[in-house]
Amino acid sequence: MTMTSDTGRFVLGDLTLQSGDKLPTATLSWKTYGTLSPAKDNVVVYPTSYSAQHADQEWLIAPDKVLDPTRWFVIAPDMFGNGLSSSPSNTPDYPTVVTTADNVRAQKRLLAEAFGIERVAGVYGFSMGAQQAYHWAALFPDAVERAIVVCGSAKTSVHNKVFLLSLLATLEAAPEHIGGGRFSAEPKAALRAFARVYAGWAMSQDWYRADLHLSAGAADLDDFLDTQWEPGFTRRTAADLYAQATTWLHSDISANTLYDGDLVRALQAIQARVLLLPARTDLYFPVADNANELSHLSHGELRPIPTIWGHRAGSPSDNPADLAFLRKAVLDWMG
């Protein structure tokens, strides 16, 4: 197969959410990589992670990386709230809570209605993308052959929620905040604080101890935070960051009418082969969370990434050792 790609926007119309609210004139932005096979049996869904747009994570799609587009037809749907799909920045009446399940159900419609795809060979996701991969497997157990969960979990833990609530409180404390995650102007000081809260969680204590924050040429810690870390967040609007953090806060594969909050039942219902790839030093999604989930999965495997890179080990664009580990694990799992 030869490498091809395409982009588009899928119009969902007025989308009724889990909450009962409507997302008006909802749209999903997407990009595909590779060629769909005649049997439509080579589809891999690759949802976006927190604040990421599809272009930010397409470095991983290459014959020598993790997802080979000469073999797989990779569909990357942009998550609601990321600035490309429906988001507070482009939708004035964006609802208070859009859940992970709302995202995945919209993605299922995209595949069925735009591409005629009813079953996928796999769903691969990192972080919030991993939460979406887990939701795919739980919400549509007959339609997913494999789920690859990289630095993610089936349900946002209490400790993880403490981190998210600190981010939301930082934005809410801005004088520009007018309520409900909306702002009269971009809260520059609050976003600077937001990025620094995030920096204390995204990489491990060992990563900082090894001075890896200086490895890309930063003069000191302040220079790293100002010039290399903060721009990853200030490129998005505060309202979009707030909305996606709220989605992450509420993520739970069992919080729906299928499972009525019974996480064990939701995990047991998954038919897909689930590969769990937590980072040993991840502060958001520790190995213990995936280990607890594994005991309830019919077909699961836990392969912790041996790393000091913390959560960032799951997106190792500048980390060859963790990329090699991730690539081998995924190649093994995808057969």
Side-chain angles (χ1 to χ4, degrees), residues 35-244:
T35 302
L36 183 62
S37 66
K40 299 183 179 180
D41 59 358
N42 67 331
V43 178
V44 175
V45 183
Y46 181 22
T48 55
S49 57
Y50 184 76
S51 82
Q53 297 176 350
H54 62 257
D56 299 317
Q57 53 186 45
E58 61 187 5
W59 65 268
L60 183 142
I61 306 169
D64 62 340
K65 294 299 191 297
V66 178
L67 297 177
D68 182 355
T70 67
R71 179 183 180 190
W72 304 108
F73 180 63
V74 181
I75 302 179
D78 286 287
M79 188 166 56
F80 291 132
N82 81 343
L84 292 181
S85 293
S86 293
S87 307
S89 60
N90 58 36
T91 305
D93 297 324
Y94 194 84
T96 303
V97 179
V98 178
T99 66
T100 311
D102 291 326
N103 276 272
V104 168
R105 289 188 173 117
Q107 293 164 18
K108 183 69 163 58
R109 279 187 56 190
L110 163 68
L111 266 64
E113 297 175 26
F115 297 96
I117 296 167
E118 296 293 344
R119 183 173 174 82
V120 300
V123 187
Y124 176 99
F126 160 66
S127 193
M128 283 190 79
Q131 293 179 318
Q132 291 168 79
Y134 238 142
H135 274 73
W136 264 92
L139 293 175
F140 308 110
D142 296 334
V144 180
E145 294 179 29
R146 307 170 189 86
I148 300 174
V149 176
V150 184
C151 297
S153 65
K155 178 180 180 178
T156 300
S157 70
V158 174
H159 183 247
N160 200 335
K161 288 182 178 182
V162 172
F163 158 69
L164 295 165
L165 291 170
S166 71
L167 294 181
L168 295 175
T170 300
L171 294 178
E172 289 164 353
E176 298 88 349
H177 185 243
I178 56 177
R182 297 304 178 98
F183 302 84
S184 59
E186 282 302 290
K188 293 181 179 179
L191 285 172
R192 188 171 189 270
F194 178 103
R196 279 149 183 76
V197 171
Y198 219 114
W201 286 72
M203 289 75 69
S204 76
Q205 296 93 334
D206 290 339
W207 188 88
Y208 283 105
R209 188 177 296 115
D211 285 337
L212 290 180
H213 58 289
L214 306 179
S215 62
D220 52 30
L221 178 60
D222 285 337
D223 186 35
F224 165 73
L225 293 171
D226 287 340
T227 65
Q228 297 182 22
W229 185 252
E230 184 181 323
F233 298 95
T234 53
R235 63 183 178 160
R236 306 291 178 237
T237 69
D240 287 353
L241 293 172
Y242 190 101
Q244 286 204 316

